[in-house]
Amino acid sequence: MNETTQNPQPAPTPQNAQGEPVLSVRDLEVAYRTGKDSRVRALRGVSFDLHPQSSLALVGESGSGKTTLGLALLRLLPTLGEITSGSVEFTGEDGRKRDVTAMTASQLRRWRWSEAAMVFQGAQNAFNPVLTIGQQMADTLKDHSPGRIGRREILERSAEALRSVRLEPRRVLSSYPHELSGGMKQRALIATGLLLRPRLLVLDEPTTALDILTQRTVIDLLAELREEYGFAMIFISHDLALAAELADRVVTMYAGKVIETGSTQDIFTAPKHPYTSKLINAVPPVTGDLPELASIPGAPPSLATLPPGCAFAPRCELATDECRQVEPELITLTERPKDMTHAAACIHHDQVHHERKVIARA
């Protein structure tokens, strides 16, 4: 687990993070086919905006829909998954708006990695084991560059990307993935994602398989790269410590829905959904007083057999009969500029009193 603080401060929002959103997602629904005539809804009515140079963290337990959302944004869902409704609108540097869900295969090929890229979970599995890092970076440049690109430019741009993540190009370009450490592979994967200077970078659990010191290096590196290149970032993680350090804004997901959203400051100091509060209380800080950690009872529901009403009700001590009958919608609690509005899908949001009990030291 990464280090965090009990009252984390949100990352500073760049002064020019204004204007049209880079990404505008509206009522996005994704389903997976589980049989000839059966489907499971993995995303249910997801909506959010991501502004230029800002950072959004998607948090929640495994199975909450975070990775499915990240894959859907770039139309990279597996064969059995499909977007059934909703829109994903991307705004480029030229101000042109495009609905990603309506793009053809050739349009997607030109758009991916040149304007929006994804860093997948597990660098060892993301790289082809029989090709060198240099060959794979070259393939990315050839396949997704808007025009023809020569060998010299490929080498120069690959080397520049590797240097930006503190790797020695001469060694890494000629290496196979298994010849690099976990941290080096992860940084090489980030460099590959940034080869064409995309406006949007989606990262799916980029530090999960790394030791804590290497995690620290990657976190610092991502913060520096974001400031240097000015890309907008979506960070998918079950680790709230990472969200506290890297995100301007946090979206909590549960059972395929957004159940709370707000600035990092609002979410970590005054969460208004019981699930978010419990997630925070399950994270041990490295500094400060030692709090009493509390696990969340029960398990997430099966998406194939969701309970009526609020999906979190079976695990929530605030649940009432109304919660078990009516599924709550996101309620705006506090208006904020630049889409930092604090909203929660809980009819008892005013009863969520977030606190962490400190363990008495001997």
Side-chain angles (χ1 to χ4, degrees), residues 31 56 69 77 103 120 130 169 210 232 249 259 270 297 302 320 326 332:
L56 172 69
L69 176 54
L77 289 167
M103 286 183 182
F120 297 99
V130 299
L210 306 178
R249 182 165 156 242
I259 60 169
S302 167
T320 60
V326 181
T332 299

Side-chain angles (χ1 to χ4, degrees), residues 297-338:
S302 167
L303 294 174
T305 55
L306 287 173
C310 176
F312 187 62
R315 308 172 71 186
C316 181
E317 68 271 12
L318 298 179
T320 60
D321 289 341
E322 183 180 0
C323 300
R324 300 181 184 93
Q325 296 169 5
V326 181
E327 187 170 28
E329 297 296 325
L330 276 174
I331 303 170
T332 299
L333 306 175
T334 309
E335 292 286 355
R336 291 280 192 273
K338 299 187 184 71

Side-chain angles (χ1 to χ4, degrees), residues 1 43 51 64 68 76-77 88 93 105 209 220 224 252 256 311 338:
M1 190 72 68
L43 291 183
H51 286 271
S64 62
T68 291
L76 290 168
L77 289 167
V88 179
E93 291 282 1
D220 291 342
E224 292 174 14
T252 305
K338 299 187 184 71

Side-chain angles (χ1 to χ4, degrees), residues 89-101:
E89 188 177 76
F90 179 85
T91 302
E93 291 282 1
D94 57 2
R96 180 187 172 200
K97 298 178 185 293
R98 284 161 290 174
D99 186 352
V100 179
T101 63

Side-chain angles (χ1 to χ4, degrees), residues 342-355:
H342 193 181
C346 180
I347 62 176
H348 300 301
H349 61 84
D350 57 342
Q351 298 178 36
V352 179
H353 303 298
H354 180 68
E355 61 179 353

